[in-house]
Amino acid sequence: NLCATCGSNIINIIDVNTGKIIKRYNDETVINRKKDTFLRVEWTHVDGTSVLVSGGFHGKVKIILPKFSMCLSTIDAHMTPIYCLKFHHKYPNILLTGSNDHKIKIWQLTFKEGETDLDWECASKY
């Protein structure tokens, strides 16, 4: 029973039963002297683990493990802001991104679990 909201360079993960923020991801990456502004977030589940992706003003997709509030990987997806993110309903590792550049891109995300919870890896292919 979680939802995610984004604004500025912050993603909040909220318990919908209590309305309280239980996790927060704060992106400190600076591009051209500005922090990215998250415009969209989307959830998927891979092997029982929740994964959150966000699209931002700088055209980057951040792949986040909400459990640890950490960014697993960044994809240089578009040259313009990302206004649409959607995972395929049958294939939880297929991501579609839509941007102000009038392109829709399809990404295949590959996740690998390591020996510990924090050893996750993510690779993307366009």
Side-chain angles (χ1 to χ4, degrees):
N1 292 339
L2 301 176
C3 73
T5 62
C6 63
S8 186
N9 64 321
I10 296 171
I11 296 172
N12 289 318
I13 299 167
I14 301 167
D15 181 326
V16 296
N17 294 322
T18 64
K20 293 185 179 181
I21 297 170
I22 59 169
K23 294 277 185 181
R24 174 172 279 174
Y25 173 72
N26 188 354
D27 185 38
E28 295 296 330
T29 306
V30 176
I31 300 170
N32 296 330
R33 297 189 300 241
K34 292 184 181 179
K35 292 180 182 177
D36 203 356
T37 299
F38 296 125
L39 303 171
R40 295 286 182 265
V41 292
E42 180 76 8
W43 291 94
T44 192
H45 296 277
V46 178
D47 297 327
T49 299
S50 293
V51 177
L52 185 67
V53 296
S54 67
F57 185 78
H58 292 300
K60 303 208 180 301
V61 172
K62 301 276 184 169
I63 300 161
I64 298 162
L65 283 180
K67 182 177 179 179
F68 302 109
S69 300
M70 69 177 243
C71 181
L72 195 57
S73 185
T74 301
I75 303 170
D76 292 324
H78 296 270
M79 298 298 289
T80 58
I82 295 173
Y83 289 112
C84 183
L85 292 169
K86 189 69 180 164
F87 279 100
H88 191 280
H89 68 284
K90 288 186 180 178
Y91 305 103
N93 66 321
I94 301 296
L95 175 68
L96 283 79
T97 59
S99 175
N100 214 24
D101 59 8
H102 308 288
K103 294 179 182 176
I104 296 172
K105 294 183 178 182
I106 301 171
W107 301 89
Q108 180 180 2
L109 305 179
T110 305
F111 298 96
K112 277 200 293 188
E113 241 181 303
E115 292 179 19
T116 68
D117 283 340
L118 294 175
D119 285 345
W120 277 70
E121 290 181 24
C122 179
S124 58
K125 183 169 60 171
Y126 168 66

